[in-house]
C-alpha cells in the first residue's frame, strides 16, 4: 500500500543501499491533495505528465566496469501515486553495484519498478512509466534553454502576499480573445516534508480573454511560503487560472531546480498535445 508522510525517507538519515532494492520506492497517493483542490482521480480536469531528470544514474556492465548516464522519466498525471523523491534517489543508488547487460536492461528494470510504484494499491490497470537513458556520447546534445514566452518578471509590481491568493487572478473580459505564453522565474514553494525551498521557472500558455499580467505575477509570487509537492503546486495553479480566468485553452508547465540529482517538471494542459522537449533551464 502507498506510504504516509511519516514513513518517508525524506528528511531522515538512511543507510546507503549496496544492492538492488526496488522496495525502497515510496509511493504517495495523489488523491488527498487533489481532493483539496476539488478534483478526484476518476475525471481529471487536465492532462499531462511529470517529467523527471535523473542525473546520477550508474550501474556495472558485464565486466564490472561502472557506467554512467542520465535518465528522463515520464509519469502520466493519471497515475494514482507520485514517487517520493528521496526514495527514488535511494532506489537509483541501489543500481550502482548491480550488473546489467546493457542500457536497455537498465531501462526495462527502472520502467518495471517505477510503474509498479506509481500504480501500487490502485484497482486501476497498471500503465507504463516512460524511461529514456542518455549515455555520455549524447550528453552534448542535452541543451540548456530558458522557457519561451513573455517574461512577467519585467513588471515592477508590489508583492505583499506569500500564500496562494487566487483572488489576484482575473481576465480582461472586455478585450478580444488572445493567445499568448507567459513566463516567470519567481515561483517558489516549500517541501511539505522537510520545509526546504523548491525553486522553479513557470510557463503559462493560454487562449482566451487576456489575463491581467500584474495580477498573475503577484499570484505566482504568493506561493513563496506555500507548502506543497511540485506536482500539486502546478495543479493548483492550473485550477486557479482555469476557474478564475476561464480561458478557452490552458497549459501550465514548471521546471523545478535540481535537488539530490533529480529535477521534477510537471505539465498540465486542458487539451492533449505532445510533451515539450525535456530541455533544462540554466538554474537546473
Amino acid at each position: 500500500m502507498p506510504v504516509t508522510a511519516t514513513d518517508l525517507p525524506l528528511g531522515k538519515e538512511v543507510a546507503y543501499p549496496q544492492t538492488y532494492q526496488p522496495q525502497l520506492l515510496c509511493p504517495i497517493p495523489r488523491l488527498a491533495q487533489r481532493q483539496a483542490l476539488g478534483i478526484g482521480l476518476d475525471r481529471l480536469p487536465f492532462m499531462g505528465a511529470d517529467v523527471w531528470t535523473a542525473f546520477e544514474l550508474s550501474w556495472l556492465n558485464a565486466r564490472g566496469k561502472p557506467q554512467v548516464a542520465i535518465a528522463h522519466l515520464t509519469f502520466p498525471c493519471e497515475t494514482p501515486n507520485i514517487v517520493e523523491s528521496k526514495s527514488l534517489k535511494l532506489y537509483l543508488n541501489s543500481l550502482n553495484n548491480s550488473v546489467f547487460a546493457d542500457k536497455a536492461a537498465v531501462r526495462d528494470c527502472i520502467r518495471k519498478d517505477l510503474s509498479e510504484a506509481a500504480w501500487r494499491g490502485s484497482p486501476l490497470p497498471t500503465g507504463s512509466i516512460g524511461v529514456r537513458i542518455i549515455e555520455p556520447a549524447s550528453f552534448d546534445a542535452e541543451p540548456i534553454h530558458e522557457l519561451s514566452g513573455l517574461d512577467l518578471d519585467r513588471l515592477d509590481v508590489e508583492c505583499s502576499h506569500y500564500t496562494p491568493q487566487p483572488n489576484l487572478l482575473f481576465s480582461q473580459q472586455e478585450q478580444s480573445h488572445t493567445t499568448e505564453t507567459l513566463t516567470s522565474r519567481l515561483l517558489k514553494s516549500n517541501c511539505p516534508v522537510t520545509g526546504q525551498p523548491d525553486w522553479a521557472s513557470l510557463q503559462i500558455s493560454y487562449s482566451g480573454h487576456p489575463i491581467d499580467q500584474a495580477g498573475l505575477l503577484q499570484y505566482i509570487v504568493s506561493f513563496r511560503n506555500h507548502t506543497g509537492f511540485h506536482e500539486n503546486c502546478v495543479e493548483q495553479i492550473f485550477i486557479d487560472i482555469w476557474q478564475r480566468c476561464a480561458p478557452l485553452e490552458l497549459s501550465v508547465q514548471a521546471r523545478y531546480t535540481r535537488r539530490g540529482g533529480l529535477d521534477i517538471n510537471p505539465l498540465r494542459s486542458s487539451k492533449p498535445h505532445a510533451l515539450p522537449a525535456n530541455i533544462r533551464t540554466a538554474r537546473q
Side-chain angles (χ1 to χ4, degrees), residues 83-247:
V83 174
E84 190 272 321
S85 59
K86 186 173 182 180
S87 79
L88 178 55
K89 175 181 174 64
L90 292 171
Y91 162 75
L92 293 175
N93 282 339
S94 81
L95 305 180
N96 291 348
N97 292 325
S98 301
V99 176
F100 291 90
D102 52 29
K103 76 169 186 179
V106 178
R107 178 200 63 207
D108 293 344
C109 177
I110 295 174
R111 177 182 291 145
K112 172 180 66 69
D113 293 337
L114 293 186
S115 297
E116 187 280 327
W119 272 272
R120 187 181 304 170
S122 172
L124 300 173
T126 300
S128 180
I129 300 304
V131 180
R132 187 163 67 96
I133 307 294
I134 311 298
E135 294 182 295
S138 300
F139 283 178
D140 273 346
E142 293 287 290
I144 297 177
H145 287 297
E146 295 303 288
L147 294 173
S148 62
L150 180 62
D151 187 10
L152 291 171
D153 302 344
R154 76 190 192 283
L155 301 174
D156 184 19
V157 298
E158 180 177 349
C159 299
S160 57
H161 299 286
Y162 302 109
T163 56
Q165 301 290 322
N167 60 299
L168 293 169
L169 296 167
F170 65 94
S171 58
Q172 298 162 340
Q173 296 291 318
E174 71 282 0
Q175 295 192 23
S176 301
H177 287 174
T178 187
T179 297
E180 63 180 352
T181 298
L182 306 170
T183 64
S184 174
R185 298 179 182 87
L186 300 187
L187 178 60
K188 173 194 168 290
S189 54
N190 297 318
C191 173
V193 180
T194 66
Q196 294 298 304
D198 294 320
W199 309 91
S201 294
L202 187 68
Q203 182 186 66
I204 297 167
S205 300
Y206 75 96
S207 295
H209 294 294
I211 295 174
D212 180 77
Q213 294 182 11
L216 178 57
L217 180 58
Q218 291 170 321
Y219 167 76
I220 293 168
V221 170
S222 76
F223 275 77
R224 194 165 185 83
N225 292 335
H226 176 65
T227 296
F229 291 114
H230 301 49
E231 300 89 341
N232 180 246
C233 289
V234 171
E235 292 184 358
Q236 181 170 352
I237 292 169
F238 179 96
I239 292 296
D240 286 345
I241 294 175
W242 188 256
Q243 292 179 344
R244 297 283 303 182
C245 301

Side-chain angles (χ1 to χ4, degrees), residues 28-31 34 41 44 46-52 72-83 110-111 114-120 124-131 231 235 264-269 273 275:
I28 302 175
R30 296 185 190 264
L31 183 58
R34 285 180 170 172
L41 290 177
L44 297 177
F46 45 65
M47 306 168 189
D50 309 320
V51 181
W52 297 53
H72 292 168
L73 313 172
T74 304
F75 291 79
C77 69
E78 295 83 9
T79 63
N81 306 316
I82 62 174
V83 174
I110 295 174
R111 177 182 291 145
L114 293 186
S115 297
E116 187 280 327
W119 272 272
R120 187 181 304 170
L124 300 173
T126 300
S128 180
I129 300 304
V131 180
E231 300 89 341
E235 292 184 358
I264 306 174
N265 310 287
L267 169 71
R268 300 295 182 265
S269 177
H273 58 74
L275 289 174

